[in-house]
Structure formats: structure tokens, C-alpha cells
Amino acid sequence: MSKLNCEVLYDDLAFEVRWAVAGDSVVIQLVAKLEDGEYMSFGISGHPEKSQMIGGDVGVTWIDKETLKGYADDYFLEAKSQCAGRHGSCPDVVFEPHTGSIRLLNAALVNGYSIVTYQRPLRASDKLDLPIFTNASQPIIWAIGPINSKGQVSYHQYFTKGDKFLEFGRAPLWNCPMPEGEEDGSPQLASPTTRLQEPDRETSSQAVIKPNPVPPPASVAKSVPWEIPGIECYEPPDGVFYAQMGPTGGKQGYSAITGHVGWGISWYINGLLIPELTLVRGKKYTFVVEGGSNSAEPARFHPFYITNDPVGGYFHKNDAEKKGVEIYAGVRRTRSGDLIPTGVGRLCNWTPDSEGPSADEYPSFGAYQRSLTLVCEEGNPGVVTWIPDKSTPDTVYYQCFTHRHLGWKINIVDECDATEAEESRVVESVALPTDLLSEESIQ
């Protein structure tokens, strides 16, 4: 019998990593109290001397709580952005076929805990992998977050803070709460002849770590979305909107408002997190776009466009996904028929205070909004102009051309009720930065 190592990664969710080295591979078990649709990931840092996400090699695991099917995928963290094309935080096979080096051994839900066991080689199997050392400690990384509609990772709410090191080849040491039923204080690997829960695989030679979770913590109530005022048909009077990037606002923000999983960033329109816009047919609108202009950095490149597609990310859609998608503004068509985004400008980010509390601790968007600072790079904004007409659907969306789920709704009406404009409304507003107030920003 092989005894186990165990370390607590995040105590609030009882997130643990358990492991045992077996020959030229290592068997890893991740255990955590996850909400439905969440993943847990663990792996080797992208930097040899500190915990760093970019360049990391991680196993991403989760369990579909409806089908009880488990997943374990090999990921390479090329950038801090969602997987789009061959860029971002993607499964290895997205970058290069047949490169996944992780093998799922077992997955189970026990007492509300997700328990996933997988195996990977100690050596790097390909250029997307990093080795696991058995003769020295090395920095590791971990994260917990939501799985998106494509079955891939989205931006994590919980992640490695500071540097975390593990010595994978150490003598077995259990630094976790003791599982129930282990009276001698030495949790062990199950018998090597244990049959695994994958009917199409012969796995009799593989060891399985027994799932022995501690009692689960209390369940967490679902988040109530912040109330964010929409921008009505009579405002702003000049029809000029500023489209910039900013954080999604934690569990009360983007995901709670839209019901979709985002990537930790989203559009801010006139300083508001994804407000619903109401526009009038026949009126000209101008969007001053500051979402990044360098296409060589996908994580910082967010072209603005208007479409009937509630998902966005048109650039990386396949032919089948593009069927039925209309684009109303923000692109031009070349002679060869390609669509080129025109809503491209310098990058401006509404940036949270690194010393302040997390977004989940703010009771309202207004309170959270006051903690943000607009930080802009050098350069000029882009401009998108648009006149909705009688053929424009009643509901369209402002989105990012290269990433999914960054924007939200635009309601199109035939006329604006003049009485609404006369009504006084108390709305928490944002002062535009001085560089946008003092001179004309539209080039």
C-alpha cells in the first residue's frame, strides 16, 4: 500500500490536492466543495522560481452534476484570457492535436464534494508540458472558477495568491484534515486491482486514491445581481457612448446579470458595467471605443461591434456558428469578403484597488464603482457610428469581436417617450476622465 501526501490549497472551499508518485508518473486527486458548473485546477507554475499563471501547465477537472460524468483536461495557460482560436487559456489539444498528457482515473461526488483523480507523466510529454520534479520543491498554481458554455475554463474567482511550493517526491506527509475512517492516521492508495469508473478503458494496473472527504461546509446561497441602471433612449442627449473595459464584478456582476459565464472582464458603457442600452431607430449614435488596438496581444484586444448574437466572438466562430449571425456596426468587409473590425482603439480599463476588498464584498454596484479607477494607455480611441433602422431587430447586442460574453443588450425602439425624459431619476453616475472631457476624443 502506498501512503498519500496531502496539502490544503484553499481552506474556505476545503480544496485539497492529494498525490502519490508511482514509477514514472504521478497520481493526483483534487477534492473541493464546488458549486454546479465550477472547475478546480492544479499544476506547475509557468515560472521556475515563483507561482505564475502565464506559461503554466495544469490539469483542469470538474464533474457534471447532472450526468455525474467527470472530466480532466491538460491545459496550457498561454495568456490571461479566454481560449479564442489558438490563444489564451486552452486545452493542449487546441494548440496542437494529440498533446493531452492527462488521464482521468476516477470522478465522484461524495457528501457534496467533487473528487477527481487523474494521472500524468512526471516528464514533459511535449512542448506544452512542464516536468514534475521528485528531487526538489517547485512552484505550483491552482484556481477554481466556472466552466463556460464550450466546456472550457472561464475566469477564476479563487486562485493562487503569493508563491506556493510543493515537493512532490517527499516522504508521504498528510497536512490536511483527517478523512473519516482512517483510524491509524495514514490515508492510503486503494489496491492496484481496483476497477475504475470508465467502462471503455482497461485500468487494472492503475492505483486509485480513495475518496474520503471531510464533512461538507454549509451550502452557499445564490448571488443576487447588482441593480445597474440602464441607459435610456433620451440619454445621453448627444448619442455618444464611451465603451471601455473593466472587471465583471464577481458573483453579483456579469454572470448574475446575464446568466452567462464571462472571463473576468466585460464592457463598461459610460462607466457602467454592461448596462442595457435603449436606442431609437433613425437616430445616429457614436461609440467611442477604448478596448485595445494591438491584435498581437489577444488578452488586451477587444474590438467593439453590434450584432444579433448574444454570445459574441464572431472572429473565432466556425461556419456553422456564423449562420444566422448579423453584424450591424463595427466591421468592414474587404474585397476578398473578409470582415475586419473597425471598433478598435487604445485600451482603457476600469481598474479595482489591489489593496481593497473583493468585488463580492460590495453591497451595490455604486459602491463597487467608486473603488474603480480608469487607467488608459497612450493613443487614440476608435469610433463606431450606427443608425438603427426599421430592419434592425428589437433586441441586439454590443460584443467583443474576438472574445465571447463580454457585452450585453441593446433595446431598439421606434420612438422615445418624451415624458420619460422629463422624469427625474436618481442614478449613481461616473465622472468621465479629464482627458475625455477637456477635448474632443473622436478622431
Side-chain angles (χ1 to χ4, degrees), residues 56-122:
D57 172 22
V58 301
V60 173
T61 68
W62 77 98
I63 297 175
D64 185 321
K65 293 191 176 182
E66 290 187 4
T67 65
L68 299 183
K69 182 178 179 181
Y71 298 85
D73 292 330
D74 194 2
Y75 266 68
F76 175 65
L77 308 182
E78 185 251 6
K80 287 185 178 180
S81 62
Q82 65 177 249
C83 185
R86 293 187 176 183
H87 293 285
S89 299
C90 304
D92 284 15
V93 294
V94 170
F95 297 104
E96 193 170 320
H98 314 298
T99 52
S101 304
I102 283 177
R103 183 184 184 188
L104 175 67
L105 297 181
N106 188 266
L109 285 173
V110 181
N111 295 336
Y113 272 83
S114 295
I115 305 171
V116 180
T117 311
Y118 64 91
Q119 184 179 33
R120 61 148 287 174
L122 292 171

Side-chain angles (χ1 to χ4, degrees), residues 1-267:
M1 294 290 190
S2 298
K3 295 183 179 180
L4 295 183
N5 286 283
C6 184
E7 293 288 342
V8 175
L9 298 176
Y10 186 62
D11 195 49
D12 288 1
L13 296 177
F15 184 23
E16 300 174 1
V17 57
R18 307 168 178 178
W19 76 92
V21 174
D24 59 358
S25 67
V26 60
V27 177
I28 295 173
Q29 182 177 80
L30 301 181
V31 181
K33 179 72 172 180
L34 301 179
E35 295 183 20
D36 193 16
E38 284 188 323
Y39 68 86
M40 50 186 170
S41 66
F42 169 82
I44 306 303
S45 166
H47 192 285
E49 297 178 356
K50 62 181 181 180
S51 295
Q52 173 181 292
M53 288 284 181
I54 294 179
D57 172 22
V58 301
V60 173
T61 68
W62 77 98
I63 297 175
D64 185 321
K65 293 191 176 182
E66 290 187 4
T67 65
L68 299 183
K69 182 178 179 181
Y71 298 85
D73 292 330
D74 194 2
Y75 266 68
F76 175 65
L77 308 182
E78 185 251 6
K80 287 185 178 180
S81 62
Q82 65 177 249
C83 185
R86 293 187 176 183
H87 293 285
S89 299
C90 304
D92 284 15
V93 294
V94 170
F95 297 104
E96 193 170 320
H98 314 298
T99 52
S101 304
I102 283 177
R103 183 184 184 188
L104 175 67
L105 297 181
N106 188 266
L109 285 173
V110 181
N111 295 336
Y113 272 83
S114 295
I115 305 171
V116 180
T117 311
Y118 64 91
Q119 184 179 33
R120 61 148 287 174
L122 292 171
R123 295 182 178 180
S125 301
D126 51 66
K127 64 182 182 181
L128 300 173
D129 289 342
L130 294 171
I132 290 180
F133 303 133
T134 57
N135 59 354
S137 64
Q138 63 191 122
I140 57 94
I141 51 177
W142 63 265
I144 289 176
I147 289 289
N148 66 23
S149 57
K150 294 187 72 174
Q152 296 177 344
V153 300
S154 187
Y155 191 75
H156 39 259
Q157 299 103 318
Y158 311 100
F159 56 93
T160 322
K161 293 185 178 179
D163 296 328
K164 175 80 172 178
F165 290 79
L166 284 187
E167 186 178 350
F168 287 91
R170 74 188 188 189
L173 180 62
W174 189 270
N175 284 330
C176 300
M178 188 56 58
E180 294 177 348
E182 298 290 350
E183 297 178 359
D184 63 355
S186 56
Q188 298 177 339
L189 286 175
S191 167
T193 59
T194 301
R195 193 78 171 172
L196 301 181
Q197 297 179 354
E198 288 196 30
D200 297 331
R201 294 182 177 177
E202 273 304 317
T203 55
S204 60
S205 63
Q206 308 299 337
V208 183
I209 301 174
K210 292 189 293 183
N212 291 310
V214 296
S219 59
V220 179
K222 290 191 175 180
S223 298
V224 176
W226 283 327
E227 291 187 13
I228 298 177
I231 299 179
E232 300 296 343
C233 55
Y234 47 82
E235 52 184 9
D238 60 1
V240 177
F241 298 95
Y242 289 85
Q244 297 148 338
M245 303 309 300
T248 51
K251 292 184 178 181
Q252 303 169 90
Y254 186 95
S255 59
I257 294 166
T258 67
H260 299 300
V261 174
W263 179 259
I265 55 173
S266 53
W267 284 113

Side-chain angles (χ1 to χ4, degrees), residues 404-425:
R404 298 155 51 91
H405 294 307
L406 264 64
W408 195 220
K409 293 179 181 178
I410 302 176
N411 303 306
I412 307 298
V413 298
D414 290 328
E415 57 184 352
C416 189
D417 189 345
T419 59
E420 293 183 13
E422 297 171 2
E423 296 177 1
S424 62
R425 298 197 314 151

